């Protein structure tokens, strides 16, 4: 097999905290273990980028300062990214990038950062910091676990579907008990940790979606998930 899978990593210099790079590693390794070649291409500030051959998009979390720097460049690429979302390209965006995939983010200092309108969400910075281990029940991926650390509170429009319901932790905000947002094959979430090594079902969903679009693959070769399952159980058992 000589199939290549291309992953676009959005602004890794500005948006990469709390182990989010581990999501790229997890996706790459799970593809390589199944015989695929992986190209990870960084989308950088001020540099041209061709999304035509991209199979999967990832964006990590970052501090407000990182969001302020990269936000104008993300907005310029908004139309292309929205077209890709509508075409079913799988995407996973975490925390700060998740916030900017909505309509925008108003920081605690009152700065208005525009979003790219993938999700029907708005985020407002608050004084309350939401930090700790999170357990979320989802319809599509079962129980997922991760770690959150954010003061932005994300509000979902009435028709915007969440990723799941919070069992432990905060999620989008302190009250709603909803976590993340989904549209087509795109997922936004506050879960760091990194997320995918502890949640192989979610990782494989993103991978299979990408492979279906590019190579008409309908089933993934199973992998031993003992270590991933153990990590997820350990994370879920830790007190909030």
């Amino acid at each position: 097999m000589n199939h290549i899978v291309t992953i676009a990593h959005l602004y890794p210099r500005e948006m990469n905290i709390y182990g989010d790079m581990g999501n790229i590693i997890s996706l790459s390794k799970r593809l390589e273990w199944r015989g695929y070649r992986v190209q990870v291409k960084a989308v950088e500030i001020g540099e041209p980028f061709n999304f035509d051959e991209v199979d999967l998009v990832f964006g990590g979390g970052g501090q407000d300062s990182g969001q302020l720097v990269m936000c104008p460049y993300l907005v310029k690429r908004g139309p292309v990214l929205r077209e890709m979302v509508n075409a079913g390209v799988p995407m996973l965006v975490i925390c700060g990038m998740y916030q900017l995939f909505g309509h925008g983010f108003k920081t605690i200092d009152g700065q208005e950062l525009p979003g790219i309108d993938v999700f029907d969400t708005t985020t407002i910075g608050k004084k309350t910091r939401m930090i700790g281990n999170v357990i979320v029940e989802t319809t599509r991926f079962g129980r997922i676990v991760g770690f959150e650390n954010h003061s932005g509170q994300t509000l979902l429009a009435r028709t915007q579907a969440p990723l799941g319901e919070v069992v432990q932790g905060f999620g989008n905000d302190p009250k709603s008990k909803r976590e993340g947002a989904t549209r087509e094959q795109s997922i936004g979430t506050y879960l760091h940790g990194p997320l995918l090594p502890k949640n192989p079902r979610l990782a494989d969903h993103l991978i299979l979606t990408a492979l279906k679009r590019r190579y008409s693959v309908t089933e993934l070769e199973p992998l031993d998930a003992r270590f991933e399952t153990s990590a997820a159980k350990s994370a879920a058992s830790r007190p909030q």
Side-chain angles (χ1 to χ4, degrees):
M1 182 187 299
N2 198 32
H3 292 336
I4 298 174
V5 177
T6 301
I7 302 173
H9 190 173
L10 300 175
Y11 308 104
R13 297 181 187 181
E14 292 75 23
M15 307 295 286
N16 181 27
I17 57 175
Y18 304 125
D20 286 342
M21 185 64 184
N23 293 309
I24 290 285
I25 296 171
S26 180
L27 291 168
S28 298
K29 288 300 181 183
R30 296 184 77 81
L31 281 160
E32 290 169 358
W33 291 335
R34 293 176 167 112
Y36 294 91
R37 293 173 56 200
V38 181
Q39 296 183 124
V40 179
K41 295 185 176 182
V43 181
E44 302 283 11
I45 286 175
E47 296 183 9
F49 191 91
N50 183 0
F51 283 95
D52 289 347
E53 298 302 317
V54 168
D55 301 300
L56 198 155
V57 175
F58 173 74
Q63 297 175 334
D64 289 2
S65 57
Q67 289 177 285
L68 286 166
V69 170
M70 70 84 183
C71 179
Y73 301 92
L74 177 69
V75 169
K76 288 180 181 178
R77 291 190 162 114
V80 172
L81 290 168
R82 286 193 298 273
E83 286 180 11
M84 295 172 70
V85 170
N86 292 334
V89 175
M91 301 189 185
L92 174 64
V93 289
I94 309 287
C95 199
M97 193 68 72
Y98 163 42
Q99 294 170 349
L100 295 181
F101 263 56
H103 300 312
F105 172 40
K106 184 176 182 179
T107 72
I108 196 169
D109 297 325
Q111 294 174 291
E112 301 272 1
L113 279 64
I116 63 171
D117 303 325
V118 169
F119 303 122
D120 197 358
T121 61
T122 56
T123 302
I124 302 173
K126 298 287 187 178
K127 293 182 179 180
T128 301
R129 189 140 203 102
M130 292 166 278
I131 182 170
N133 294 306
V134 189
I135 303 172
V136 179
E137 290 290 351
T138 74
T139 301
R140 298 170 72 185
F141 315 113
R143 173 168 288 195
I144 61 175
V145 298
F147 175 82
E148 64 183 341
N149 186 354
H150 59 103
S151 58
Q153 297 186 16
T154 296
L155 306 177
L156 275 57
R158 183 177 58 84
T159 57
Q160 172 62 61
L163 171 60
E165 301 296 319
V166 176
V167 175
Q168 174 182 303
F170 295 97
N172 288 329
D173 65 277
K175 295 181 179 180
S176 72
K177 291 299 179 181
R178 297 191 294 178
E179 210 294 313
T182 64
R183 175 181 164 190
E184 300 294 343
Q185 300 299 328
S186 297
I187 297 168
T189 178
Y190 275 110
L191 301 191
H192 296 281
L195 173 64
L196 296 182
K198 297 188 291 291
N199 298 282
R201 184 174 172 183
L202 176 56
D204 282 351
H205 167 80
L206 295 167
I207 288 169
L208 182 57
T209 302
L211 294 177
K212 279 181 179 178
R213 293 189 72 257
R214 180 68 66 187
Y215 300 115
S216 300
V217 173
T218 58
E219 187 176 358
L220 292 178
E221 178 185 346
L223 298 174
D224 186 345
R226 285 177 295 173
F227 292 114
E228 292 90 339
T229 301
S230 178
K233 287 182 178 179
S234 177
S237 68
R238 294 171 187 165
Q240 174 65 11

